[in-house]
Amino acid sequence: MGADEVHGVARQRFDVADAAPLLLDPQGVVTGWTSGARRLLAYPASEAVGRKLADLLAAEDAERVPDLVERCRRNGGWTGLLTARRRDGQPVRVAARITSAEEAHGGSRWLMLLSELADAPGWDMSRTVLEQMAADAPVGIAIVDTDLRFVWSNAALEQFGGGPAPRRLGLRFADVQPGMDAQAVEAQMRHVLETGESVIGYEHVGHVRSAPLRETAHMLSFTRLEDDRGHPIGVYYTVVDMTDRHRARQRLALLDRAGESIGRSLDLTRTAQELADVAVPGLADFVTVDLLESVLRGAEPAPGPLADSEEPVELRRAGYRSVQDLADAVIEVGEVVAFRAGTPPFSCLATGRSWRAERLDPLTRDWTTDTPSGRRATFRELGLHSVMTVPIRSRGTTLGITTFYRRDDREFFDGEDLRLAEDLVARAAVCVDNARRYTRERDAALVLQRSLLPHRLPEQDAVEVAACYRPADELTGLGGDWYDLIPLSGARVALVVGEVPGHGIDAAAAMGQLRTAVRTLAALDLPPEEVLAHLDDLVARSAREEGAEPGTMGSAGTPGVGSGCLYVVYDPVDGGCSMAAAGHPAPAVVLPDREVVFVDLPQGPPLGVGGPPFEAVELPLAEGSTLALHTDGLLARGETWAVDAGRERLRRALERSGPLESYCRSVVDALVPARPYDDVALLMARTKRLGTGQVAAWELPSDPVVVAEARRTATRQLARWGLDELAFTTELVVSELVTNAIRYASGSIRLRLIRERALVCEVLDGGATAPHLRHPRTTDEGGRGLLLVSQLTQRWGTRFVPEGKIIWAEQALPELPD
């Protein structure tokens, strides 16, 4: 094909004027050859036409031909660099361009233009062009020799410090960049010189020497330079300022750390301290967190001061952190801090807006009023020169303030720092307000529960008693564990421990209802299994009235359902003990010889869920034995509750000894943390026995004539006890009770007098019906006996025993003279 034909089919000309054209068919076979192609590759037309393009290229580019053909079909052409192979086998680097060439008869071919790079302007750039490009580049560029001394640098490098390029010549990195870690940078250079491996994207953080120091961050890349023989002659490196990106990463990391660290608990002071800990040293050198007194109490925040007020405003220090010890000038956590009117913290509280000062007046004293310890200093004495004050606000209410300071050796706070501080404090404010609300709810629940628990256990002679209650931690809330000691008739006592499922005020209220119900049932002098049966009926009936499904435990609106209860009755006269349990752990008994045993007690179902009847067990207890009644939180470890493992730990803790009060507390301390997962209640009772001189009993026949003898016998016993003052009342009580037993019961009668904190008179008979107090009319001839008994004694009642019933009455003992 001639040059005119090529010129006729070419619609676009290659950029290089002396390009050599040739034609290809759609399969990449040469169909047209020109003199320019012959000059470039030395093939005559006879040898070139009909050959595949791949035969004219070097091996590495020959493999690319199918892909080039496909790209030409898809994109309508291709432009790039190739290595062609001359007729003598020598490679030649060419720039190639392939475009579509339409034939007159409608066929299609490809026009390929080749231009040798060796003679093409723009591809082989001179040193002048290269130096111009490097010198004018916006990226800092420098070259150091094998001794790491500067031999060339561009103008852009001056923005990173170290002076102009001529001043750098012959100096090392440490000489021109004293604020940066020269050892680390030169270590990278030596590594590149020794290995030839380039280092790309090395991040370096340093400080620019100024007043104050300014932190900077740069990204450096290092490449070894070699001569024609491959020997290293120096290192070429580039520098890019990435300070803004570095600071943005630091801010994001600080906020991420704040999200992980702040608000891990619901304790107000701890949350405030976590805010201070996160901010130092990442954002500030010294941080204080001050909260309103009402916030720390869990109450609604008090209104802030008026902007024009002249009275100082008082807060309480809730947290602080410093990179340097400022103990002589710092107000401790928990102390009151009062800010003077007109000071930035005062205005921050009044307006709810942040405040920033790049430079503090060094001679200004801190903004607090005089403290009792006189700890006030100027900002110069404290070494502080820049400050930000940010209000702690949540739900539109100011809870306190956070103040951030920087020392003289750090750069001043800027607008970005203030926005970061506001974001940090805003996150903490939500946690502080949540902790405040929790404190209010928890304190209310604690007050409710403590008001429902006994403030002190009643005095009696049956047992020496001690109790320890430990509420759950702040993440689970207050529970419904409770305990009680109830004096019963005949010098006996009831020991009770219970647990209501759930947490919070609802659980505490349900606990109060159950405790009241137990005390009411205990007054009926019922056996333990019957007390629990009545209590179970009461809880189930309340649940039905609330519309709860039978058997649902601890659901909303069903207080008490699923509760556990252990009811124990101890008699100090004979040492007998009876007990029953409703879904509650059996007690441990520490015998006088320190051996610890666990009562084999049948477990009844939890209260209100239904199930088999409750069973009681009876066992004798030697004097000096210690009953340990506890809730299941004492056996739990974390969230797990394993009976065998828990009992073994309890056994080891109970093997100690000591005064009962400290003994009880030491057991709880040994088994549960200060903030347990679940509430823990432990009631310990060391048994006593009434002496033989405190109890007198007589068997009486069922004959009216014994009434007079019973009165005389009781009077003589009172004389021996020195209780003559009670003789008249006791004769009347004995006469009435014995007469009723003879009149309405059958079998033998037993009269018993017990002297402990009161004088107890008991009459046992075989009857199965309880007497009723009557209010006779004036004309009635009888029916006044029990009425007189009720009027002359402290209390009286009836309890049923296997042999029948016991009617009893108590009288207060006379006060002994001083």
Side-chain angles (χ1 to χ4, degrees):
M1 183 176 73
D4 293 339
E5 183 181 2
V6 172
H7 181 75
V9 298
R11 302 299 181 189
Q12 300 177 354
R13 298 186 61 83
F14 197 50
D15 293 337
V16 181
D18 60 345
L22 61 145
L23 289 175
L24 305 173
D25 69 6
Q27 286 72 41
V29 177
V30 177
T31 60
W33 195 253
T34 64
S35 58
R38 179 171 182 173
R39 284 196 308 271
L40 181 63
L41 300 180
Y43 286 99
S46 58
E47 295 182 15
V49 174
R51 300 186 69 168
K52 294 181 178 180
L53 176 62
D55 296 338
L56 303 177
L57 302 176
E60 62 271 16
D61 286 338
E63 298 176 353
R64 300 170 54 198
V65 170
D67 178 61
L68 294 179
V69 172
E70 179 61 29
R71 293 173 65 180
C72 288
R73 290 172 181 168
R74 186 170 61 251
N75 302 324
W78 176 84
T79 300
L81 301 179
L82 294 172
T83 301
R85 185 167 51 84
R86 297 173 60 90
R87 189 168 184 265
D88 58 5
Q90 293 297 317
V92 56
R93 192 68 171 164
V94 297
R97 182 172 183 177
I98 303 175
T99 60
S100 176
E102 300 293 337
E103 293 184 312
H105 53 75
S108 64
R109 288 184 291 180
W110 296 100
L111 172 64
M112 185 173 188
L113 302 173
L114 302 177
S115 177
E116 187 174 2
L117 293 181
D119 299 327
W123 293 99
D124 186 12
M125 291 180 290
S126 66
R127 173 177 176 176
T128 301
V129 173
L130 290 174
E131 286 186 349
Q132 182 180 358
M133 291 175 60
D136 296 339
V139 177
I141 303 174
I143 298 175
V144 298
D145 59 18
T146 54
D147 293 328
L148 306 184
R149 299 185 180 277
F150 284 96
V151 296
W152 181 89
S153 62
N154 68 348
L157 194 66
E158 297 175 10
Q159 65 182 302
F160 303 105
R167 190 182 303 171
R168 294 174 183 266
L169 295 178
L171 301 178
R172 292 179 58 151
F173 191 87
D175 300 327
V176 298
Q177 298 287 100
M180 301 182 72
D181 187 355
Q183 290 184 349
V185 175
E186 291 189 351
Q188 298 295 325
M189 294 179 180
R190 291 192 183 92
H191 172 77
V192 172
L193 280 173
E194 293 170 1
T195 65
E197 299 175 354
S198 297
V199 175
I200 308 298
Y202 171 73
E203 294 187 12
H204 182 272
V205 178
H207 292 83
V208 175
R209 282 197 172 178
S210 58
L213 289 178
R214 183 171 60 87
E215 187 179 67
T216 59
H218 304 93
M219 179 180 291
L220 297 89
S221 296
F222 305 89
T223 303
R224 187 170 77 175
L225 297 177
E226 302 173 347
D227 59 16
D228 294 339
R229 296 184 298 275
H231 297 156
I233 59 175
V235 174
Y236 159 88
Y237 75 88
T238 61
V239 185
V240 177
D241 190 343
M242 54 173 295
T243 301
D244 291 341
R245 192 191 318 172
H246 171 70
R247 292 184 178 181
R249 282 206 308 259
Q250 284 184 316
R251 292 186 176 99
L252 289 175
L254 184 64
L255 292 175
D256 184 60
R257 190 161 64 252
E260 295 177 353
S261 303
I262 301 176
R264 293 178 297 178
S265 69
L266 288 172
D267 183 274
L268 273 166
T269 304
R270 188 183 307 176
T271 302
Q273 185 61 49
E274 288 166 351
L275 169 59
D277 291 342
V278 166
V280 176
L283 178 60
D285 297 317
F286 178 45
V287 173
T288 62
V289 183
D290 303 308
L291 298 177
L292 295 170
E293 188 73 40
S294 56
V295 172
L296 288 169
R297 293 197 309 267
E300 290 297 324
L306 297 177
D308 57 355
S309 174
E310 297 182 357
E311 295 296 324
V313 60
E314 290 188 350
L315 294 90
R316 193 169 292 275
R317 182 62 44 88
Y320 79 86
R321 173 68 65 183
S322 174
V323 295
Q324 185 173 342
D325 185 17
L326 300 176
D328 293 337
V330 170
I331 297 174
E332 297 290 341
V333 170
E335 292 185 0
V336 173
V337 51
F339 293 104
R340 301 190 306 278
T343 59
F346 184 97
S347 302
C348 186
L349 280 169
T351 64
R353 293 192 295 269
S354 301
W355 180 84
R356 173 176 65 93
E358 286 189 359
R359 294 173 175 84
L360 283 167
D361 183 352
L363 299 181
T364 301
R365 289 192 176 273
D366 64 38
W367 299 310
T368 61
T369 61
D370 290 330
T371 61
S373 59
R375 289 176 298 181
R376 292 190 59 207
T378 65
F379 289 118
R380 172 180 291 174
E381 291 170 342
L382 296 174
L384 306 174
H385 75 138
S386 191
V387 65
M388 300 183 296
T389 301
V390 181
I392 303 172
R393 290 179 59 83
S394 178
R395 300 176 178 92
T397 304
T398 301
L399 310 176
I401 58 172
T402 303
T403 307
F404 304 82
Y405 298 91
R406 277 184 180 166
R407 297 181 60 80
D408 295 336
D409 57 353
R410 287 187 65 176
E411 57 190 300
F412 304 112
F413 285 121
D414 57 19
E416 287 296 324
D417 292 323
L418 180 60
R419 284 188 284 274
L420 174 61
E422 289 175 335
D423 197 357
L424 191 66
V425 173
R427 296 187 181 205
V430 175
C431 300
V432 169
D433 194 47
N434 289 339
R436 177 191 67 82
R437 291 169 178 265
Y438 167 78
T439 299
R440 180 184 62 190
E441 296 296 326
R442 186 172 189 270
D443 288 349
L446 280 172
V447 169
L448 174 62
Q449 187 176 49
R450 286 167 180 165
S451 68
L452 296 173
L453 288 172
H455 295 284
R456 64 181 184 87
L457 298 173
E459 296 180 356
Q460 36 70 48
D461 289 338
V463 291
E464 178 190 358
V465 67
C468 183
Y469 169 75
R470 185 164 293 176
D473 68 10
E474 64 267 26
L475 297 180
T476 56
L478 185 72
D481 290 14
W482 58 282
Y483 59 89
D484 208 348
L485 182 146
I486 307 169
L488 301 176
S489 63
R492 298 169 305 131
V493 291
L495 304 169
V496 194
V497 168
E499 182 171 12
V500 175
H503 297 90
I505 292 180
D506 290 341
M511 175 272 289
Q513 294 175 355
L514 281 184
R515 179 169 176 253
T516 301
V518 169
R519 293 185 72 89
T520 302
L521 292 170
L524 300 178
D525 260 332
L526 299 174
E529 68 275 16
E530 293 188 28
V531 170
L532 294 183
H534 285 291
L535 194 61
D536 180 67
D537 291 340
L538 178 64
V539 172
R541 184 167 63 253
S542 297
R544 287 193 298 270
E545 292 173 355
E546 296 289 343
E549 293 292 330
T552 53
M553 296 178 61
S555 59
T558 59
V561 175
S563 299
C565 185
L566 174 64
Y567 190 88
V568 179
V569 175
Y570 172 70
D571 189 343
V573 175
D574 58 8
C577 181
S578 61
M579 64 185 70
H584 199 87
V589 179
V590 184
L591 300 178
D593 62 359
R594 312 308 305 161
E595 180 185 359
V596 180
V597 297
F598 291 91
V599 179
D600 186 11
L601 180 62
Q603 277 295 314
L607 298 174
V609 302
F614 299 101
E615 298 182 44
V617 297
E618 297 185 4
L619 65 156
L621 290 179
E623 185 174 10
S625 299
T626 303
L627 280 163
L629 290 70
H630 59 87
T631 55
D632 57 17
L634 192 69
L635 303 183
R637 174 155 254 162
E639 300 184 21
T640 61
W641 195 87
V643 176
D644 293 339
R647 281 187 170 182
E648 183 55 35
R649 290 188 295 113
L650 178 57
R651 183 194 306 276
R652 292 196 297 268
L654 289 173
E655 288 175 349
R656 307 170 185 176
S657 61
L660 194 61
E661 191 71 35
S662 60
Y663 180 32
C664 180
R665 190 164 46 252
S666 68
V667 170
V668 174
D669 290 340
L671 297 179
V672 297
R675 297 276 187 162
Y677 171 76
D678 192 11
D679 281 24
V680 174
L682 174 63
L683 178 63
M684 301 188 74
R686 187 165 290 161
T687 61
K688 300 179 183 179
R689 295 287 286 271
L690 297 184
T692 55
Q694 293 180 271
V695 181
W698 302 271
E699 295 291 334
L700 305 175
S702 183
D703 188 338
V705 299
V706 304
V707 175
E709 181 59 30
R711 289 197 299 266
R712 290 190 293 270
T713 301
T715 302
R716 288 194 296 269
Q717 184 62 47
L718 292 181
R720 285 194 289 270
W721 284 341
L723 300 176
D724 298 296
E725 295 180 29
L726 302 179
F728 176 77
T729 304
T730 304
E731 284 185 358
L732 190 149
V733 170
V734 170
S735 178
E736 180 58 33
L737 297 185
V738 172
T739 299
N740 280 346
I742 294 172
R743 181 178 299 174
Y744 299 109
S746 60
S748 61
I749 300 169
R750 187 184 68 187
L751 171 64
R752 186 167 72 167
L753 296 178
I754 302 173
R755 178 179 61 84
E756 43 127 25
R757 295 180 181 270
L759 176 64
V760 182
C761 178
E762 296 181 343
V763 175
L764 168 67
D765 61 51
T769 58
H772 297 282
L773 183 65
R774 295 170 55 192
H775 295 274
R777 292 171 295 183
T778 306
T779 57
D780 290 342
E781 297 182 358
R784 296 179 175 83
L786 287 180
L787 179 60
L788 290 173
V789 170
S790 67
Q791 295 295 319
L792 296 174
T793 60
Q794 282 185 319
R795 59 178 187 148
W796 73 280
T798 304
R799 71 175 183 270
F800 291 91
V801 294
E803 301 90 341
K805 68 175 183 298
I806 296 176
I807 306 175
W808 56 270
E810 286 187 5
Q811 301 176 69
L813 296 180
E815 294 185 4
L816 297 176
D818 295 336

